Amino acid sequence: MSLSPVTHQRRIVLLDLDGTLTKSDPGIIASARKAMQRIGVPVPDMAEMRRFIGPAISESMRRNNVPEDRLDEAVAIYRRYYSDEAVFEDPLHPGHKVPGCLANSVYPGIPEQLRRLREQGFVLAVATCKPEYQARPICEHFGLDRLVDGIYGASRDSSRITKDRVISYAFDMMSFDKASGDRALMVGDRWTDADGARLCGLDCLGCGWGYAESGELHDH
C-alpha cells in the first residue's frame, strides 16, 4: 500500500506492530517453540522466548543455536505454524483454533488512540520487522488496516528484515521528503525500534506496555 504524493508537510507516525499495537506473544512463542522442537534444538526458557518478539525470526533462531544449515528450514516451519496451521487457542474465542498470527489481541485503547491521532492530522503507518505478507492479514483481522494509512514490513526473501530497512522502505513507498518539511517519529517497544529509528535519523517514542526488558529502551 502506498500513499499518493502530497504537497503539504506531513507529520508521520510509524508504528511497530508486535508489542505496540498488538499483544502477540502467545502465537509467536508457540510457533517458535514448535519449529525448534521439529528441528531438534532445545527450547529455551520463557524469558528467552519472549526475546523472539521484535527482531526478525531468523535472528532469534540463530541466537538460540539453530544450525546455519537448518536455519531456512526452521524459519519455514515457524512461518507455516504462524500463518497457516490452525492449531493454537484463539485468546478471544476459547475453543476455536487459529494459526499463530491470530493467537493475538489488540491492546486496550489502541483503536481509540489511532482514531484520535488521525483526527489531529497525523499520517499513521505500521512499520514492522514481521514479513509484510503476515502483517497485512493481522491488521485486517483486527481492523487496524482501516485506522492507518499504510502497512509496511519485512520482505519474504529476508532481503529487508531490520527495522532501519523497513523504515527506509516505508519512506520510499510514502514518498517521504524531509527537505520539503515532512517529519516522522517511530513508536515501538523494543531496542530494534530505537536503533532502527536512530539509524534513519528519527526520534523514537518507547511504549512501556510491550516486550522490552527492564532498562532496554532507556539503554537504546
Side-chain angles (χ1 to χ4, degrees), residues 191 194-195 213-220:
W191 66 268
D195 285 8
E213 298 180 51
S214 178
E216 177 182 320
L217 286 171
H218 180 271
D219 290 345
H220 285 266

Side-chain angles (χ1 to χ4, degrees), residues 93-104:
H93 303 95
H96 181 239
K97 299 297 183 181
V98 293
C101 64
L102 300 183
N104 196 351

Side-chain angles (χ1 to χ4, degrees), residues 123-169:
V123 176
L124 308 181
V126 172
T128 175
C129 288
K130 184 185 299 300
E132 192 170 303
Y133 80 91
Q134 293 177 348
R136 287 183 178 277
I138 294 168
C139 291
E140 291 166 3
H141 178 78
F142 292 110
L144 295 172
D145 62 314
R146 299 189 295 273
L147 302 175
V148 299
D149 302 284
I151 300 168
Y152 308 105
S155 58
R156 187 185 287 266
D157 65 1
S158 298
S159 62
R160 181 180 67 247
I161 61 173
T162 59
K163 185 53 65 86
D164 60 298
R165 290 190 177 185
V166 170
I167 292 172
S168 296
Y169 162 68

Side-chain angles (χ1 to χ4, degrees), residues 182-204:
D182 283 349
R183 299 166 60 194
L185 174 73
M186 182 72 221
V187 178
D189 69 306
R190 295 298 315 275
W191 66 268
T192 48
D193 301 302
D195 285 8
R198 179 175 52 81
L199 287 170
C200 292
L202 306 182
D203 286 333
C204 180

Side-chain angles (χ1 to χ4, degrees), residues 36-143:
M36 297 180 80
Q37 289 169 341
R38 289 281 301 276
I39 291 294
V41 173
V43 176
D45 62 22
M46 185 55 70
E48 175 58 29
M49 291 304 295
R50 285 174 62 86
R51 297 187 184 105
F52 274 70
I53 304 160
I57 189 67
S58 57
E59 295 180 8
S60 297
M61 290 288 190
R62 185 179 285 115
R63 187 179 66 248
N64 283 279
N65 304 312
V66 172
E68 202 67 31
D69 62 352
R70 302 199 68 187
L71 188 59
D72 288 346
E73 180 187 0
V75 171
I77 293 170
Y78 169 85
R79 288 178 173 173
R80 187 167 69 247
Y81 279 110
Y82 191 73
S83 299
D84 303 319
E85 299 283 343
V87 297
F88 306 116
E89 191 79 9
D90 184 344
L92 302 180
H93 303 95
H96 181 239
K97 299 297 183 181
V98 293
C101 64
L102 300 183
N104 196 351
S105 57
V106 177
Y107 285 112
I110 289 296
E112 294 82 359
Q113 183 62 43
L114 296 181
R115 291 188 189 98
R116 283 197 287 271
L117 288 169
R118 292 184 92 183
E119 289 169 359
Q120 294 169 18
F122 290 95
V123 176
L124 308 181
V126 172
T128 175
C129 288
K130 184 185 299 300
E132 192 170 303
Y133 80 91
Q134 293 177 348
R136 287 183 178 277
I138 294 168
C139 291
E140 291 166 3
H141 178 78
F142 292 110

